[in-house]
Amino acid sequence: MAENSTVQAAPERSLNFLEEIIEADLASGKHKSILTRFPPEPNGYLHIGHAKSICLNFGLAQKYGGATNLRFDDTNPAKEDTEYVDSIKQDVRWLGFSWANERYASDYFDQLYEWALALIRKGLAYVDDQPQEEIRLGRGAVTRPGTDSPYRSRSVAENLDLFARMRSGEFADGEKVLRAKIDMAHPNMLLRDPILYRILHAEHHRTGSKWCIYPMYDYAHGESDSIEGITHSICTLEFDVHRPLYDWFIEKLEIFPSRQYEFARLNLTYTVMSKRKLLELVKSGSVRGWDDPRMPTICGIRRRGYTPESIRLFADKVGVAKRDNVIDISLLEWCVREDLNKRALRRFAVINPIRLVITNYPEGQVEELDATNNPEDPAAGTRKIRFSRELYIEREDFMENPPKKFFRLAPGQEVRLKYAYIVRCEEVVKDADGSVVEVRCTYSPETRSGGGNPRQVKGTIHWLSAGRCRAAEVRLFDRLFTESHMDSIPEGADYKNYLNPDSLKTVTARVEEAIDGAYREGALPVQFERTGYFALDPDSTSEKPVFNRTVTLKDTWASISKK
Ligand code: ATP
Ligand code: MG
C-alpha cells in the first residue's frame, strides 16, 4: 500500500455516460464498431488535461474493440507548427496509445471547399463584405435578435463567383468572409449566420501557400469527423452550444452522421491549464521551458518522473463528469505513488547530510550488508551496501533538543541504522557558529539486523558510508502556484502573481555509489528511502547526477494545509 491511501480503488465501477451511449449504439446496430479521435491543435505542448482526453478517447475505443484517429486540427495557420506536431505524437505514444490513422484537418481543405460550394448552391451560404466589427454588431445580443447583412440576399451565381475569387487571392485579409445562412434571430447566437471561411494570406505548415482562405473551427471540425467516419466525437463542455451547428452542417450536407458528446474538462488545483498561459510561463522565464518538471505539460510531468501508468490510473480515477469541477492535485500524486510503490527500486540517499562517526567501530573495517531492493516485489532482489565507521545521516534525523516523541537520534538516545546496528549518540561536535557538524555515537555489535537480537528501538533511519557515496544535485519541487483554485482568480488579475517562489529548491545530497545502475535497469524513478521518488534528470553528467523529486512519500501538503 502507498503510505497515503485516502483514495481507495473502486470495486467494479458502473458505466459512465459515454460508455452507456456506446453500448446502446452497438446493441442497436447503429454502429458496428466505434471510431473516436483525439483532435489537438498543434499550437503548443499537450498538458495533463489533454492526457485526460487522450486516455478517454483511446480508452473507450480499446474497451469496445474500436479505433482512434489522431487528427491535427490545423485550420489556423498563424499559430501552428511542426515542432508541436512531433511533440504531440511523442506524448500520445508515451502515454501508451497508438492511433489507427494520422490525419490533418488540412488534408480536407479541398473537400471542405467543395462542400462550401455545395452550401452556396443550396442557398445556405453567402459572401459577406461587412468588416468584422459590423458583423459582430449585426449579430445582436442574447436578448435581442441580430440584423441581416446587406449582402445576405446575394444570388447563388454572385456568391459562387465571389467565393472563387476569395480563394484565388483577389482580396485582402478581412475584406470578405463566407457565412452560413441560418437565422439572424436564432436564440443560439452561434447559429446567427456563422462564418465558415476567412481570408488569411498566411503560410500554412503543411499546405504552404496553396490556400489564402481557411475554414473556421466549427465548419471544419464536424466535417472532418464525418469524412473519417468518427462515430463518437468527444469534446469538452464548452462545445455543447456548438453542437446544433455541428449537426446543421452534417444534415445540410447529407454526410456521415458523426455525433458530438461533451464531458467536463479537467481542472487541477494549484495549476493553470491553458496552452496560452503555459506559453506565457515559458516566455516570461517563470519556468525553464515547456518540460520544466513543475509544468502540467505531459513532457514536464514525464521529466518529473511520472509514469504513463500513473497518468492512465489518474484519468480513470477522475472519471467522466458532466459538470465542471476542480480535481485535487493530490489525487495525481497519489496515483504516481501507487504505481511507483509497486515497481520502483529502493535506494539510500541523504539529503542535507550531517556526519555520524561510530567511535567504537574499528577504523578501516567495511561490512557488506544486504539491502532489499523493493519490499513490494521480492523478484527485485537485494543489493550490497557498505557500512563503515564514518557515515552520513540526514540532518533532519538528528535533534540536539528533541521534543518528547522524537524517536530518531538525539544526545543519549538510540536509533537503528537500517540493515545495520543500533547506535547511541554520545556527543556532538559543533563549528564556530554553534551548529552541529558531527554526531559521535557508539554501536553494539550484537544488534546487527537479522542477527536475532531481541532489543528493539522505536526509530530506524537510513545512512550512507562517507567514503562510499557520491554527491548529487537534487531538485525538490513544490506547487507551482500558491492558490488552489487558479480558475477563480479575479478577471484582470495577473495569475503570474500567484507563482510560488519556493516551487524549486535545489540541494546537494549524497547518494549510493551505484545509483546510476538502478536507473539503467529501467527508466523508472527510484525511491529514496523515507524521502520520496526521484527521477534522473537529463541535466545529469557523469560527474554529477541530478535528480528530480517526482513526489514525496507522504502527502505532506494535505496535512500541512489542514493545520
Ligand atoms: P487549451 O485551452 O489548453 O489551449 P484546447 O482545448 O485549445 O486547450 P486543443 O488542442 O484544441 O486544446 O485540444 C485537443 C483536445 O483536448 C480537445 O478535444 C479538447 O477538448 C481536449 N482538452 C483540452 N483541454 C482539456 C482539459 N483540460 N480536459 C479535458 N480535455 C481537454
Ligand atoms: Mg482548441
Side-chain angles (χ1 to χ4, degrees):
M1 263 324 268
E3 278 76 356
N4 171 40
S5 45
T6 48
V7 185
Q8 297 294 328
E12 266 310 292
R13 70 167 171 81
S14 53
L15 296 183
N16 66 49
F17 79 97
L18 291 168
E19 292 167 334
E20 278 173 5
I21 291 167
I22 290 170
E23 293 199 1
D25 288 348
L26 290 171
S28 72
K30 181 177 172 191
H31 299 297
K32 285 206 175 58
S33 62
I34 69 159
L35 184 61
T36 60
R37 88 286 171 264
F38 174 64
E41 187 180 349
N43 62 350
Y45 286 80
L46 297 183
H47 51 60
I48 180 85
H50 294 114
K52 166 70 206 167
S53 171
I54 292 167
C55 293
L56 182 60
N57 278 294
F58 283 89
L60 285 170
Q62 272 176 358
K63 177 166 182 183
Y64 294 105
T68 305
N69 285 352
L70 174 61
R71 183 195 320 135
F72 292 98
D73 212 327
D74 57 351
T75 52
N76 185 0
K79 289 194 274 171
E80 295 157 2
D81 208 308
T82 323
E83 172 198 350
Y84 299 128
V85 169
D86 295 339
S87 78
I88 289 168
K89 290 202 280 192
Q90 187 192 0
D91 288 349
V92 176
R93 277 196 206 102
W94 178 76
L95 281 171
F97 299 110
S98 22
W99 46 91
N101 304 289
E102 177 182 335
R103 295 283 188 257
Y104 294 80
S106 57
D107 294 341
Y108 310 136
F109 282 173
D110 284 299
Q111 177 66 78
L112 293 171
Y113 181 77
E114 289 303 316
W115 280 339
L117 294 176
L119 289 175
I120 294 174
R121 285 192 205 101
K122 289 184 178 196
L124 293 173
Y126 62 98
V127 173
D128 195 344
D129 298 359
Q130 293 183 104
Q132 205 182 345
E133 184 59 9
E134 267 168 52
I135 292 180
R136 196 183 62 78
L137 291 172
R139 282 232 162 86
V142 186
T143 49
R144 181 166 43 81
T147 46
D148 286 2
S149 161
Y151 305 97
R152 197 172 196 263
S153 48
R154 273 179 164 151
S155 69
V156 168
E158 191 183 1
N159 281 320
L160 286 173
D161 173 59
L162 285 172
F163 188 51
R165 286 160 62 194
M166 277 171 66
R167 181 197 177 158
S168 66
E170 214 174 288
F171 308 113
D173 289 4
E175 223 176 292
K176 289 184 174 19
V177 292
L178 183 73
R179 295 178 74 177
K181 197 172 188 173
I182 305 180
D183 179 358
M184 288 306 289
H186 201 286
N188 181 338
M189 299 271 294
L190 290 174
L191 275 79
R192 293 184 187 174
D193 292 9
I195 295 172
L196 307 188
Y197 273 91
R198 75 263 201 228
I199 302 172
L200 271 176
H201 291 268
E203 190 83 4
H204 186 278
H205 76 118
R206 294 192 88 230
T207 58
S209 51
K210 178 176 175 192
W211 295 89
C212 62
I213 55 171
Y214 290 95
M216 300 298 288
Y217 172 88
D218 278 325
Y219 179 64
H221 200 89
E223 280 85 320
S224 300
D225 283 345
S226 186
I227 291 169
E228 293 173 19
I230 302 298
T231 54
H232 299 81
S233 177
I234 299 161
C235 61
T236 40
L237 276 186
E238 65 273 21
F239 286 96
D240 71 337
V241 288
H242 297 246
R243 187 172 359 101
L245 192 50
Y246 184 103
D247 293 340
W248 189 87
F249 290 123
I250 284 176
E251 183 202 318
K252 299 301 176 197
L253 292 166
E254 299 172 75
I255 54 181
F256 180 83
S258 297
R259 289 295 313 273
Q260 176 187 298
Y261 301 94
E262 306 89 21
F263 74 105
R265 66 188 297 120
L266 172 72
N267 297 301
L268 270 185
T269 55
Y270 302 100
T271 309
V272 295
M273 197 109 72
S274 107
K275 278 182 274 190
R276 181 181 61 77
K277 288 181 181 166
L278 296 176
L279 177 63
E280 280 172 21
L281 292 176
V282 173
K283 285 203 166 148
S284 63
S286 308
V287 294
R288 292 181 181 177
W290 283 103
D291 68 346
D292 187 302
R294 292 166 292 177
M295 289 280 271
T297 49
I298 297 183
C299 53
I301 57 186
R302 177 166 61 225
R303 183 167 181 178
R304 174 103 170 224
Y306 274 79
T307 57
E309 290 80 357
S310 65
I311 307 295
R312 295 201 299 263
L313 176 65
F314 174 69
D316 198 50
K317 295 266 173 218
V318 165
V320 185
K322 279 187 132 176
R323 297 266 291 281
D324 275 322
N325 57 5
V326 182
I327 302 292
D328 196 322
I329 196 165
S330 54
L331 177 63
L332 181 61
E333 295 169 348
W334 180 87
C335 289
V336 75
R337 277 187 204 109
E338 183 72 6
D339 181 36
L340 291 178
N341 179 48
K342 293 189 198 107
R343 303 195 294 145
L345 295 176
R346 273 54 167 175
R347 289 294 181 268
F348 280 175
V350 176
I351 294 168
N352 196 8
I354 183 173
R355 249 179 135 72
L356 183 151
V357 178
I358 304 172
T359 50
N360 61 339
Y361 193 88
E363 287 211 43
Q365 177 172 311
V366 175
E367 278 177 89
E368 291 211 320
L369 306 173
D370 283 320
T372 307
N373 282 331
N374 182 354
E376 303 289 320
D377 175 17
T382 58
R383 68 188 184 285
K384 298 281 184 203
I385 47 173
R386 294 196 175 90
F387 188 81
S388 59
R389 189 172 188 268
E390 293 190 13
L391 310 171
Y392 287 116
I393 61 165
E394 302 228 350
R395 191 168 283 273
E396 276 207 354
D397 285 332
F398 173 80
M399 274 186 106
E400 198 177 4
N401 300 299
K404 255 214 165 86
K405 290 200 168 158
F406 184 80
F407 297 123
R408 289 167 282 165
L409 206 55
Q413 212 161 292
E414 284 187 326
V415 78
R416 173 168 290 286
L417 297 176
K418 189 162 185 184
Y419 302 123
Y421 301 96
I422 293 174
V423 294
R424 177 191 163 87
C425 173
E426 308 290 356
E427 61 174 317
V428 297
V429 180
K430 294 184 182 177
D431 64 11
D433 303 332
S435 46
V436 176
V437 289
E438 191 177 293
V439 181
R440 300 178 80 85
C441 299
T442 51
Y443 87 121
S444 330
E446 74 284 1
T447 61
R448 181 166 163 164
S449 291
N453 185 278
R455 204 145 71 78
Q456 298 285 332
V457 286
K458 279 224 166 92
T460 299
I461 63 173
H462 65 284
W463 49 272
L464 283 170
S465 243
R468 298 287 181 171
C469 60
R470 327 175 40 188
E473 177 179 323
V474 169
R475 298 176 182 168
L476 305 171
F477 303 108
D478 200 346
R479 309 281 189 256
L480 187 52
F481 292 96
T482 52
E483 180 60 41
S484 63
H485 286 64
M486 290 299 292
D487 53 330
S488 59
I489 282 180
E491 206 52 50
D494 186 357
Y495 63 92
K496 291 204 278 318
N497 292 338
Y498 297 86
L499 278 163
N500 176 4
D502 301 318
S503 62
L504 168 63
K505 220 161 84 189
T506 302
V507 296
T508 43
R510 300 278 163 170
V511 294
E512 278 184 39
E513 240 174 344
I515 194 95
D516 299 15
Y519 284 93
R520 266 197 298 277
E521 286 162 35
L524 276 184
V526 160
Q527 184 191 105
F528 289 177
E529 291 208 31
R530 302 179 57 237
T531 314
Y533 294 97
F534 290 77
L536 193 65
D537 190 84
D539 285 348
S540 298
T541 62
S542 49
E543 291 82 54
K544 194 179 204 186
V546 176
F547 297 101
N548 295 323
R549 185 171 67 197
T550 310
V551 69
T552 53
L553 283 190
K554 292 201 182 94
D555 188 353
T556 47
W557 185 273
S559 52
I560 289 168
S561 56
K562 265 185 215 123
K563 274 178 195 159

